[in-house]
Each structure stands twice: as C-alpha cells, then as structure tokens.
Amino acid sequence: MRSIAATCNDTAILANVHVGGIPRSTDHGDSWHPTLDIDWDVHQVCTHPSRPDVVVAASGAGVCISLDQGATWTLSAEGLHAPYCAAAAFCGDDILVSAPRITLRHPPDSIGCLRRVRRQ
C-alpha cells in the first residue's frame, strides 16, 4: 500500500495499492472492495478536505477523478505530455497533479484539460 485516505465525513476509506488499484471501505475498514481493476497502476489517492464526494488519484495512465467518494472513477490525461502522474493534492478546490517535468491543476467538477501551473 502506498497511500490511504478517508473522506472528510468519514464514510469512506480508500487505499492505493501500486499496481493493485484502489480498494474502498465504507464500514471503517472491516471490509474492502475494488473500485479500479486490480492491475491498475495507481501511485497516490487523496480526498478533498471539505467535499466528501471528491477523491483524486495519480496513476500511470493520468489523473483519476471520483465525484462519488471513490465508488466510480473518470480518467483524465488531456493536457499531459505523457500520461504518468506521480502524486496528487488539493489546493482549495483545484487538484494539483505531479507529472514528469510539470505540475498541473484541474478543477474537480469538470472533465477537461489539465492546465500547467505557472510560476509567478
């Protein structure tokens, strides 16, 4: 396991298993169920600090976004030079994604192009 995160309302726990997908528990860890294929290359899972439905994961195929506490996922790789993402975090409502030689941001409620974070 590489990372573990709980939604801010404590109704779901998500674990990231490298080349093992994202198992999810809705009973405080008593049981776990896969949400992505077990062969999925996931590097980190992160929950939004104040919006329990929003979860993000960095993966070898791009950024995975969930708007239902990790029950289902949408993959976004648009705007990436290469799809590999190493880490993800939230900054306000923006998702920050670390990809090779670039940091990108993405609003969680829209599926679209990742935008490069520019230095001021």
Side-chain angles (χ1 to χ4, degrees):
M1 185 178 332
R2 283 193 167 184
S3 64
I4 190 165
T7 57
C8 63
N9 62 358
D10 294 328
T11 59
I13 304 169
L14 298 111
N16 137 237
V17 181
H18 186 244
V19 190
I22 300 176
R24 177 178 180 253
S25 175
T26 56
D27 58 9
H28 302 285
D30 289 336
S31 63
W32 294 85
H33 306 282
T35 62
L36 291 172
D37 188 275
I38 196 153
D39 293 327
W40 199 270
D41 182 18
V42 181
H43 304 132
Q44 182 182 15
V45 64
C46 183
T47 55
H48 193 282
S50 63
R51 297 176 60 191
D53 291 341
V54 180
V55 183
V56 64
S59 81
V63 60
C64 303
I65 300 169
S66 174
L67 300 177
D68 59 7
Q69 297 188 351
T72 62
W73 298 89
T74 300
L75 176 66
S76 179
E78 187 178 345
L80 290 173
H81 171 72
Y84 184 94
C85 292
F90 285 97
C91 181
D93 275 338
D94 283 338
I95 299 167
L96 300 181
V97 179
S98 173
R101 296 175 281 156
I102 191 169
T103 300
L104 302 151
R105 72 175 183 206
H106 188 290
D109 293 325
S110 67
I111 304 305
C113 188
L114 294 153
R115 293 188 177 91
R116 184 180 200 136
V117 174
R118 304 272 182 208
R119 293 183 188 195
Q120 301 273 342

